[in-house]
Amino acid sequence: MDHMSDQPERWTQATVYPDMWADPDDDPRNSEGVSPDGELATLQDFLTSYRMTLRMKCEGLDAEQLARRSVPPSTMSLLGLLRHLAEVELDWRNWISDGDPLPKLYGVRDADFDGAVGEQAEVDAAYATLAREQAATDAALAEHPDLGERLGKDGIAVRELMVHRIEEYARHCGQADLLRECIDGRVGQ
């Protein structure tokens, strides 16, 4: 007997490996050749891959789907993750600055998630803000290629900040996996 369910059926676009998001030839994260040389290039490569993964998990969804909350009482959504990571990128620049902190993008605590509403203008703004903040943080860190250099009032090492950036995106990509599967059943790495 068939049961009606509000749970989406699991699916993937991949045809080569059933647990992948996309086939290897279609995956923009796959690069041919050897891995990058050097620690900084390797860290940047991992960060780029996780940033791409987050965008891939959001692709093909409308504003309402991107703003759909996980499970109560959580306010987490894919759109909220985009907004949150923009806020985090700005905060990382505060960590390496000796000056006054830059003001928060979305205001009070959790406003990045609370303000993630299913409107296309909000989605467009979130993507634009995230791209702007990522570029600004990348530019600020490009001025400090020595991974052992300590920056800001607390003397954080560039290496520590790079690893923390990768960890932050990786953790949120895991959450994005679950959010996306709940929205439309799509699964994969």
Side-chain angles (χ1 to χ4, degrees), residues 2 25 31 34 36 45 47-48 60 65 93 101 107 120 127 148 152 157 160-161 165 168 180 182 184 187-188:
D2 289 334
D25 290 344
S31 59
V34 298
D45 188 56
L47 179 60
T48 298
Q65 290 171 313
R93 291 198 311 283
Q120 192 57 48
Y127 277 116
E160 182 181 353
L161 182 57
R165 292 171 83 197
E168 183 88 13
R180 179 63 186 252
C182 284
D184 70 353
V187 296

Side-chain angles (χ1 to χ4, degrees), residues 39-58:
E39 185 179 2
L40 179 58
T42 299
L43 292 170
Q44 290 169 330
D45 188 56
F46 270 86
L47 179 60
T48 298
S49 179
Y50 280 119
R51 285 175 170 175
M52 247 188 269
T53 299
L54 180 66
R55 289 187 73 91
M56 290 169 70
K57 295 295 176 174
C58 296

Side-chain angles (χ1 to χ4, degrees), residues 119-142:
E119 298 170 3
Q120 192 57 48
E122 190 60 46
V123 170
D124 295 343
Y127 277 116
T129 301
L130 179 58
R132 181 189 72 231
E133 295 304 320
Q134 287 172 335
T137 303
D138 291 348
L141 283 171

Side-chain angles (χ1 to χ4, degrees), residues 106-188:
Y106 299 109
V108 298
R109 182 175 183 208
D110 293 335
D112 41 3
F113 289 103
D114 293 337
V117 295
E119 298 170 3
Q120 192 57 48
E122 190 60 46
V123 170
D124 295 343
Y127 277 116
T129 301
L130 179 58
R132 181 189 72 231
E133 295 304 320
Q134 287 172 335
T137 303
D138 291 348
L141 283 171
E143 297 176 17
H144 306 281
D146 176 357
L147 292 171
E149 183 181 357
R150 296 198 169 270
L151 304 172
K153 296 172 186 136
D154 294 328
I156 188 169
V158 174
R159 177 181 291 103
E160 182 181 353
L161 182 57
M162 289 297 296
V163 170
H164 184 71
R165 292 171 83 197
I166 293 164
E167 177 273 331
E168 183 88 13
Y169 276 92
R171 180 167 28 95
H172 292 313
C173 282
Q175 293 162 334
D177 283 341
L178 296 173
L179 288 164
R180 179 63 186 252
E181 186 175 353
C182 284
I183 292 168
D184 70 353
R186 187 163 181 192
V187 296

